[in-house]
C-alpha cells in the first residue's frame, strides 16, 4: 500500500510550491464544508421554512454559475497567485460577516454574503486548477490532480461531520470564526508559493480590456479547438444525471433506509471514498492518455449502471458498495478530463476554459437536482424507480459519448 502511495508522497514532499498550493486547497475546502452546517443552523434558527433552507443551495450554485465566465477572464488577465490570495481573504470576511445575522430581519444578509463567497470561489477554483501545471512537471501532472481529487474526497467525507459536531458544541459564531481563519491560512500558503504564469501580451491585454471581448475570445478558442472541447464536456455530461442522483441519496436515507442523517453520512462517505480511490485505479488500468477520452464515456456508463443497482437494492451495505463504485468511476472521469485540459490548453486561456467547464458542471447539476425534486414533489415517481431512470439515462449518455466524442477523438489522433 505504501509503495503505491510513494509517488504521491514524494511529490508533496519534494515540490514545495505544489505542496503549498495543495495545503491552501485543503484548508479552504475544509472551511467550505466545516461551516456549511453552521449556515444551515442559522437559517433554521430564524425560519422554519424548508424553502429558505433549500434556497441557500440554489444561491450557492447560481452564484458560481453566473460569475464563472467573468471569473475565468480574471484568472487569465491578472496574476493568479494574487487573485487567489485576495479571494481567500475576502471569502474569510464574507463568512465572518454572517455572524451579524442575529434576527429574522437580518436573514437576507446570509444569502448575500454566501453569494459573495461563491463568486469569489468561482475565481479561486479556475485560478488554482490553471496553476497546477505551472508548479509541476508534465510527468507529475496526473499525480498532482489525483492528490487534489483525493484530498477533496477526504475533506468532503470528514469536513461536514466535524462541522456538525462543532456547530452543536461550539455554537455557530465560533464555527464561522474558525471557518474564516481557514481562508486566512489558505491565503498564507498561496502567499508562500511561487506560481509561474504566462501573461497576456500588451496587444492581448489591450484587445481584451473589455471583459465581454475576453470572454468571447475564450469561447471561440474552445469551440475552434475540438480536442479541448471534448474533455471539457465530460464533467457537465456526467453531472446532468449525477447531480440529481446525489440529491436522491438524501431521500433514500430518509424514506428507504429510515436512517436520517446517519444513513446520509454513510452514503456520502462512500461517495467521498470512491471519488478518492477512483482516479488511482483508473491511472493503473489506463496509463495511456490516448485512451482517456474513451475512459470518460466508459466511466459515465459504469457510474449510471452502478446507480441503477442502487435503485434496486434495499440493504445499506450493498448501497454503500455500489455508491462507492459509481463515484470511483466519476472520480476517474474528473481527473482524466482535468489533466487533458491542463495539457492541451494554452496557459493564457486556461482560466477561461476551466471556468466554462465549471459553468457547464454547475448548470448540469442544478438542472438535474431541480428536475428530480419536482418529480418527487408532484409524485410522478417514487425515489427508487427515479434512481433507476436517472442511472439508466446516464448509462445511455455514456454509450452515446462512446459513439460520438470517442470516435471524433480517435479520428483526431489518427490525423496527428
Amino acid at each position: 500500500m505504501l509503495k503505491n502511495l510513494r509517488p504521491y508522497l514524494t511529490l508533496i514532499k519534494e515540490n514545495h510550491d505544489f505542496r503549498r498550493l495543495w495545503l491552501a486547497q485543503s484548508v479552504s475546502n475544509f472551511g467550505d464544508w466545516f461551516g456549511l452546517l453552521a449556515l444551515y443552523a442559522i437559517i433554521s434558527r430564524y425560519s422554519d421554512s424548508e424553502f429558505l433552507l433549500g434556497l441557500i443551495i440554489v444561491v450557492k450554485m447560481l452564484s458560481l454559475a453566473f460569475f464563472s465566465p467573468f471569473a475565468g477572464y480574471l484568472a487569465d488577465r491578472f496574476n493568479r497567485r494574487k487573485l487567489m490570495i485576495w479571494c481567500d481573504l475576502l471569502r474569510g470576511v464574507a463568512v465572518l460577516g454572517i455572524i451579524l445575522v442575529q434576527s429574522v430581519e437580518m436573514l437576507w444578509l446570509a444569502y448575500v454574503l454566501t453569494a459573495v463567497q461563491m463568486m469569489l470561489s468561482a475565481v479561486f477554483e479556475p485560478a488554482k486548477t490553471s496553476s497546477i501545471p505551472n508548479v509541476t512537471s508534465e510527468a507529475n501532472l496526473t499525480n498532482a490532480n489525483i492528490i487534489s481529487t483525493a484530498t477533496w474526497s477526504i475533506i468532503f467525507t470528514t469536513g461536514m461531520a466535524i462541522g456538525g459536531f462543532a456547530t452543536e458544541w461550539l455554537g455557530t459564531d465560533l464555527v464561522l470564526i474558525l471557518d474564516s481563519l481557514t481562508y486566512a491560512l489558505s491565503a498564507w500558503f498561496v502567499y508562500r508559493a511561487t506560481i509561474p504564469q504566462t501573461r497576456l501580451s500588451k496587444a492581448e491585454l489591450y484587445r481584451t480590456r473589455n471583459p465581454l471581448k475576453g470572454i468571447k475570445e475564450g469561447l471561440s478558442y474552445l469551440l475552434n479547438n475540438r480536442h479541448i472541447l471534448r474533455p471539457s464536456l465530460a464533467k457537465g455530461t456526467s453531472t446532468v444525471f449525477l447531480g440529481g442522483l446525489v440529491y436522491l441519496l438524501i431521500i433514500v436515507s430518509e424514506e428507504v433506509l429510515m436512517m436520517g442523517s446517519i444513513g446520509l453520512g454513510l452514503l456520502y462517505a462512500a461517495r467521498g471514498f470512491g471519488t478518492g480511490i477512483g482516479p488511482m485505479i483508473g491511472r493503473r488500468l489506463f496509463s495511456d492518455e490516448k485512451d482517456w477520452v474513451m475512459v470518460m464515456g466508459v466511466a459515465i456508463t459504469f457510474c449510471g449502471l452502478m446507480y441503477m443497482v442502487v435503485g434496486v437494492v434495499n440493504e445499506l451495505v450493498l448501497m454503500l458498495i455500489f455508491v462507492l463504485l459509481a463515484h470511483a468511476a466519476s472520480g476517474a472521469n474528473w481527473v482524466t478530463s482535468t489533466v487533458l485540459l491542463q495539457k492541451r490548453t494554452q496557459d493564457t486561456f486556461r482560466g477561461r476554459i476551466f471556468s466554462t467547464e465549471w459553468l457547464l458542471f454547475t448548470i448540469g447539476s442544478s438542472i438535474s437536482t431541480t428536475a428530480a425534486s419536482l418529480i418527487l414533489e408532484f409524485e410522478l415517481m417514487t425515489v427508487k424507480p427515479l434512481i433507476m431512470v436517472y442511472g439508466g439515462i446516464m448509462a445511455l449518455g455514456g454509450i452515446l459519448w462512446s459513439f460520438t466524442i470517442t470516435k471524433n477523438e480517435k479520428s483526431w489522433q489518427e490525423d496527428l
Side-chain angles (χ1 to χ4, degrees):
M1 180 67 176
L2 186 60
K3 182 179 179 181
N4 294 334
L5 294 177
R6 187 170 294 130
Y8 308 107
L9 297 174
T10 300
L11 176 59
I12 293 172
K13 179 181 178 181
E14 296 182 354
N15 189 325
H16 305 296
D17 293 320
F18 171 75
R19 182 173 69 245
R20 288 161 183 156
L21 192 60
W22 167 68
L23 287 170
Q25 173 208 334
S26 301
V27 294
S28 62
N29 281 355
F30 180 80
D32 289 339
W33 294 113
F34 178 76
L36 186 58
L37 291 183
L39 179 60
Y40 289 165
I42 289 172
I43 295 172
S44 299
R45 182 188 304 159
Y46 298 112
S47 170
D48 58 358
S49 169
E50 293 181 358
F51 170 75
L52 288 179
L53 194 60
L55 183 61
I56 199 69
I57 300 174
V58 176
V59 167
K60 288 167 76 73
M61 285 186 176
L62 293 182
S63 300
L64 279 169
F66 289 147
F67 201 68
S68 286
F70 185 64
Y73 166 79
L74 294 176
D76 286 335
R77 187 173 181 85
F78 298 103
N79 185 292
R80 290 171 187 151
R81 174 175 166 272
K82 291 181 180 178
L83 276 176
M84 285 187 281
I85 292 171
W86 278 110
C87 285
D88 271 335
L89 294 175
L90 292 174
R91 284 193 292 181
V93 172
V95 167
L96 199 60
I98 298 175
I99 293 176
L100 297 174
V101 179
Q102 297 291 336
S103 65
V104 66
E105 290 78 18
M106 290 294 292
L107 200 53
W108 61 270
L109 185 61
Y111 293 87
V112 172
L113 291 175
T114 297
V116 171
Q117 179 192 6
M118 290 299 103
M119 286 190 289
L120 292 165
S121 294
V123 178
F124 184 93
E125 288 301 322
K128 183 260 297 181
T129 308
S130 300
S131 297
I132 291 177
N134 297 338
V135 296
T136 58
S137 65
E138 185 170 324
N140 278 320
L141 187 56
T142 302
N143 287 343
N145 281 281
I146 289 175
I147 291 169
S148 180
T149 302
T151 301
W152 178 91
S153 70
I154 293 169
I155 290 171
F156 171 82
T157 305
T158 60
M160 285 187 69
I162 296 172
F165 284 114
T167 299
E168 182 69 25
W169 294 340
L170 303 177
T172 56
D173 286 359
L174 187 52
V175 167
L176 290 172
I177 291 171
L178 293 173
D179 188 2
S180 179
L181 290 175
T182 64
Y183 286 122
L185 184 58
S186 174
W188 169 250
F189 284 127
V190 176
Y191 174 77
R192 294 286 310 279
T194 300
I195 303 176
Q197 177 182 347
T198 303
R199 304 301 300 275
L200 296 173
S201 66
K202 289 184 178 180
E204 289 172 320
L205 286 170
Y206 180 78
R207 189 178 66 248
T208 60
R209 64 192 185 280
N210 183 335
L212 295 180
K213 175 70 173 177
I215 293 169
K216 182 180 178 181
E217 278 198 5
L219 184 59
S220 296
Y221 176 83
L222 179 63
L223 295 176
N224 291 330
N225 291 275
R226 298 303 175 93
H227 65 296
I228 299 173
L229 177 63
R230 286 189 287 272
S232 75
L233 298 174
K235 297 184 185 70
T237 301
S238 176
T239 198
V240 164
F241 314 101
L242 196 55
L245 287 166
V246 169
Y247 157 75
L248 290 172
L249 292 180
I250 302 173
I251 314 301
V252 166
S253 180
E254 292 286 344
E255 298 183 0
V256 179
L257 297 174
M258 303 294 184
M259 295 180 65
S261 58
I262 295 175
L264 181 60
L266 291 172
L267 289 168
Y268 272 29
R271 171 194 174 191
F273 187 65
T275 303
I277 65 172
M280 290 185 279
I281 296 172
R283 173 74 182 278
R284 293 180 68 86
L285 294 177
F286 303 98
S287 57
D288 190 345
E289 292 179 16
K290 292 182 179 180
D291 296 330
W292 283 4
V293 171
M294 176 272 292
V295 169
M296 296 168 202
V298 172
I300 293 169
T301 299
F302 184 81
C303 184
L305 292 174
M306 293 302 97
Y307 261 105
M308 288 185 73
V309 178
V310 173
V312 174
V313 301
N314 292 307
E315 297 80 9
L316 174 61
V317 173
L318 290 176
M319 282 189 183
L320 293 176
I321 291 172
F322 287 103
V323 167
L324 185 152
L325 292 173
H327 286 276
S330 175
N333 178 32
W334 186 282
V335 169
T336 52
S337 58
T338 298
V339 173
L340 286 188
L341 285 176
Q342 288 171 334
K343 289 189 174 183
R344 294 180 178 184
T345 306
Q346 183 179 322
D347 190 20
T348 52
F349 282 96
R350 274 197 204 121
R352 281 167 284 183
I353 297 305
F354 279 110
S355 66
T356 301
E357 185 199 40
W358 192 248
L359 173 65
L360 296 174
F361 176 82
T362 52
I363 289 177
S365 182
S366 300
I367 292 172
S368 180
T369 302
T370 302
S373 63
L374 290 175
I375 290 170
L376 294 178
E377 178 73 19
F378 290 101
E379 299 181 351
L380 301 177
M381 295 182 72
T382 56
V383 62
K384 297 282 282 182
L386 184 55
I387 289 175
M388 292 187 66
V389 169
Y390 260 58
I393 298 174
M394 184 176 187
L396 290 175
I399 293 171
L400 181 62
W401 177 286
S402 299
F403 282 102
T404 55
I405 305 295
T406 300
K407 182 179 178 181
N408 292 334
E409 173 72 12
K410 289 182 177 178
S411 297
W412 174 72
Q413 290 180 3
E414 290 170 359
D415 292 338
L416 289 178

